[in-house]
């Protein structure tokens, strides 16, 4: 397995943080209002330690088994673990027990199971409702028309804290089209806040559309290869 050297991760992190700061300044956002979630899918433990040494504490994992192995190996660190992969019903317990955040809640059934299975000795699981703003059949997420009812139902669950909305829109290169997708998520969240929900998180934006997401109000961007370099190939 080829591992990105620690000094290269430090350089990449510095560049990503500068991109975020520049976008904040360009679009009238408060400095420091956009957090970075380093998506560490298929990256080795050494890469996470290198990023941690540069002050990165929030890491996102897509796969439960891989995430469990990393959490065990990095149990001596202050990492905040975010689950950003699709959630099947038979996997909710592992998410509820092992992670601090989950960004991919898209059905009330999943939310209920996460709440029921969250250990009593842990703080509520911080969660985002995933919305499929582009309507792609290949993508998970609730439809925009479902968001109001779902969000209010999730907010009532005792062992979850609904923090906001998340999306993974259709990959396009046109900046205005990127902004339009993220604007839809922002407007959905504004409607929920107007309806009485206390939400503070818009999880949106990746390496290729970070600036558009920040322009439309992202509070957390999810970047992987921009931080760690190319992902190692899957082992057979």
């Amino acid at each position: 397995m080829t591992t990105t050297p620690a000094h290269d991760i430090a350089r990449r992190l510095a560049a990503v943080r500068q991109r975020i700061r520049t976008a904040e300044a360009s679009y009238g956002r408060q400095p420091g209002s956009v957090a970075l979630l380093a998506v560490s899918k298929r990256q080795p433990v050494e890469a996470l330690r290198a990023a941690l040494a540069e002050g990165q504490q929030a890491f996102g994992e897509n796969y439960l088994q891989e995430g469990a192995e990393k959490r065990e190996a990095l149990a001596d660190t202050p990492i905040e673990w975010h689950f950003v992969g699709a959630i099947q019903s038979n996997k909710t317990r592992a998410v509820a027990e092992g992670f601090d955040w989950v960004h991919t809640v898209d059905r009330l059934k999943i939310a209920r199971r996460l709440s029921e299975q969250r250990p009593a000795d842990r703080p509520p699981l911080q969660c985002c409702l995933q919305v499929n703003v582009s309507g792609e059949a290949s993508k998970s997420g609730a439809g925009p028309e479902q968001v109001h009812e779902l969000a209010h139902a999730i907010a009532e669950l005792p062992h979850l804290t609904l923090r906001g909305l998340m999306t993974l829109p259709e990959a396009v290169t046109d900046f205005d089209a990127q902004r339009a997708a993220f604007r839809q998520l922002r407007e959905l969240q504004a409607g929920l806040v107007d309806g009485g929900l206390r939400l503070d998180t818009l999880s949106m934006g990746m390496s290729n559309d970070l600036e558009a997401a920040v322009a439309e109000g992202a509070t957390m961007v999810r970047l992987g290869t921009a931080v760690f370099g190319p992902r190692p190939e899957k082992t057979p």
Side-chain angles (χ1 to χ4, degrees), residues 93-143:
R93 184 175 298 278
V95 174
E97 292 179 348
F99 288 83
D100 303 298
W101 279 70
V102 55
H103 291 237
T104 45
V105 176
D106 62 354
R107 306 188 299 284
L108 186 55
K109 174 184 177 181
I110 295 296
R112 283 175 173 155
R113 289 176 65 90
L114 290 169
S115 180
E116 292 165 359
Q117 295 167 346
R118 182 67 167 174
D121 61 347
R122 296 203 61 187
L125 180 62
Q126 310 299 295
C127 72
C128 291
L129 171 57
Q130 182 175 357
V131 185
N132 187 347
V133 296
S134 303
E136 294 177 272
S138 61
K139 296 273 181 71
S140 300

Side-chain angles (χ1 to χ4, degrees), residues 170-229:
E170 181 180 5
V172 295
T173 56
D174 180 76
F175 186 71
D176 290 338
Q178 291 175 346
R179 285 194 65 164
F182 295 134
R183 185 179 308 121
Q184 186 176 0
L185 196 75
R186 173 173 56 79
E187 290 174 348
L188 284 168
Q189 178 143 306
L192 295 174
V193 171
D194 288 344
L197 295 185
R198 299 179 63 182
L199 307 176
D200 61 9
T201 301
L202 281 171
S203 171
M204 59 188 196
M206 299 171 68
S207 297
N208 295 328
D209 53 17
L210 180 161
E211 285 78 10
V214 172
E216 291 297 337
T219 63
M220 189 178 296
V221 292
R222 310 180 306 272
L223 278 67
T225 55
V227 173
F228 295 106

Side-chain angles (χ1 to χ4, degrees), residues 22-104:
T22 299
E24 287 173 338
S26 296
Y27 298 104
R29 301 291 303 280
Q30 287 293 318
S33 60
V34 182
L36 170 62
L37 178 63
V39 179
S40 41
K41 172 174 67 175
R42 297 214 311 267
Q43 297 294 342
V45 167
E46 293 76 13
L48 277 72
R49 285 197 182 275
L52 187 67
E54 298 300 319
Q56 179 63 33
Q57 290 193 335
F59 292 84
E61 288 289 327
N62 290 68
Y63 307 121
L64 288 171
Q65 182 59 40
E66 180 182 343
E69 292 169 358
K70 287 177 182 174
R71 291 198 310 275
E72 183 177 357
L74 294 162
D76 60 323
T77 72
I79 287 178
E80 179 180 83
W81 294 101
H82 295 236
F83 189 73
V84 295
I87 308 175
Q88 299 170 326
S89 295
N90 64 343
K91 304 295 187 183
T92 53
R93 184 175 298 278
V95 174
E97 292 179 348
F99 288 83
D100 303 298
W101 279 70
V102 55
H103 291 237
T104 45

